[in-house]
Amino acid sequence: MSQSPKPTRQHLAAYEVLPAMKREAEYFLTRSTGQILVLALAGGMFVTLGELFSLLLSDGFSATGAVLLMQGLGFSTGFFMIILSRSALFTEANVIFPASYLQGIPANHLTTILRFWGIAWIGNMLGAFIIGAVIAFAQTYPDSLLQGLDTVVAKKMAYRDEGTVTAWLRIIVSGMLGNGLIGMAAFFATMANTLIGKYVPVFLVVTLFVAANLQHSPANMGYFSLSMAMGGGPGWDAAFLWNIIPAGIGNILGGALLVALPFWYALADKKQA
């Protein structure tokens, strides 16, 4: 009698995730500058489309919980598109490259890593700007959706009202927490071996991130691009000074210090029992 095949593992063990992230980083490091830029443009576009979806889904809801749940569903769709397409997102790189460095990535790759980081950030910004302008040109949405977008942008710019060094530092810390959660979404997506297994934790973690209004530089690029292309927004100078730049600094720190470093320390050299 023939034996039944063993069932396929649905997920990696936690200690297997960082090595998988290292392999993902090595894949990105083999891309040319032009390829990285295209992947980063796609990442910026996908995250912005996810934000548009979040606004469309939450439009018409009045209960705060329902609004945030719908926004989380929409935003997680954009992040999931990035994961499945292997597009480049600045904040995902903030986890996979520190994780790779801690596992002994060659020193001569550091310049390539820095190049990737810079191109990813610029590409995400350009992708968000381009798709925001195209959407504003091609589509007309109800005033209620634009009001919802204004509400989200106002939450992102709330720190500007304080206008202090402390407020700027608070954006950095919020960015650290934001990339900590997005980093865990990437961690769990890497862990799963099925599409549903990848999406469920992404949806849950990203919804928490959205509900908590944590700062995420590429995501906020998308919100600002949509808002300003549709005639609203705070202006790019204020957006960069009071959100995108400090949030980006926090994202870099959060990905390394809240995800890559603690899991590398806790799980390195662990073997399956």
Side-chain angles (χ1 to χ4, degrees):
M1 181 181 295
S2 61
Q3 294 182 342
S4 301
K6 293 182 178 180
T8 303
R9 293 175 65 197
Q10 294 192 3
H11 62 84
L12 303 176
Y15 64 82
E16 298 175 295
V17 174
L18 291 189
M21 283 186 165
K22 182 180 179 182
R23 292 191 292 271
E24 187 72 4
E26 291 169 346
Y27 163 80
F28 280 123
L29 292 178
T30 64
R31 304 301 97 186
S32 68
T33 297
Q35 289 174 320
I36 296 170
L37 180 60
V38 170
L39 292 173
L41 286 167
M45 290 181 179
F46 287 152
V47 76
T48 305
L49 288 170
E51 290 161 356
L52 175 63
F53 192 28
S54 75
L55 294 168
L56 291 167
L57 289 177
S58 61
D59 188 31
F61 286 89
S62 57
T64 300
V67 170
L68 295 175
L69 181 62
M70 291 298 100
Q71 288 179 348
L73 175 60
F75 189 97
S76 64
T77 301
F79 189 68
F80 200 52
M81 291 166 69
I82 292 169
I83 290 173
L84 294 187
S85 66
R86 268 189 161 178
S87 298
L89 190 67
F90 167 75
T91 44
E92 186 181 8
N94 293 338
V95 177
I96 64 173
F97 286 123
S100 299
Y101 178 77
L102 290 168
Q103 294 174 88
I105 198 166
N108 60 1
H109 284 182
L110 291 179
T111 301
T112 307
I113 289 174
L114 293 175
R115 179 192 63 148
F116 182 95
W117 246 316
I119 296 172
W121 191 86
I122 293 170
N124 290 164
M125 180 72 233
L126 290 176
F129 180 83
I130 291 169
I131 198 65
V134 171
I135 290 169
F137 174 76
Q139 300 297 122
T140 300
Y141 293 108
D143 290 342
S144 57
L145 185 141
L146 300 180
Q147 291 169 1
L149 177 57
D150 289 342
T151 298
V152 172
V153 170
K155 289 166 64 177
K156 302 301 180 185
M157 293 299 297
Y159 299 93
R160 182 179 60 168
D161 296 337
E162 295 181 38
T164 64
V165 173
T166 300
W168 215 77
L169 293 175
R170 288 176 61 214
I171 305 172
I172 292 176
V173 174
S174 182
M176 291 178 64
L177 295 172
N179 213 135
L181 283 179
I182 293 300
M184 288 311 303
F187 186 97
F188 293 134
T190 303
M191 175 183 286
N193 290 325
T194 67
L195 290 180
I196 295 299
K198 288 179 181 293
Y199 180 70
V200 171
V202 166
F203 166 63
L204 294 174
V205 175
V206 170
T207 300
L208 170 58
F209 157 81
V210 171
N213 188 37
L214 300 175
Q215 305 309 309
H216 181 276
S217 187
N220 295 347
M221 292 174 186
Y223 283 123
F224 292 133
S225 294
L226 285 171
S227 181
M228 284 184 261
M230 295 179 183
W236 282 113
D237 54 346
F240 272 95
L241 179 61
W242 285 103
N243 194 285
I244 294 174
I245 292 175
I249 295 171
N251 292 159
I252 293 172
L253 296 173
L257 299 179
L258 300 182
V259 182
L261 182 60
F263 280 97
W264 167 79
Y265 175 77
L267 301 176
D269 298 325
K270 298 297 182 184
K271 304 301 180 184
Q272 189 172 11

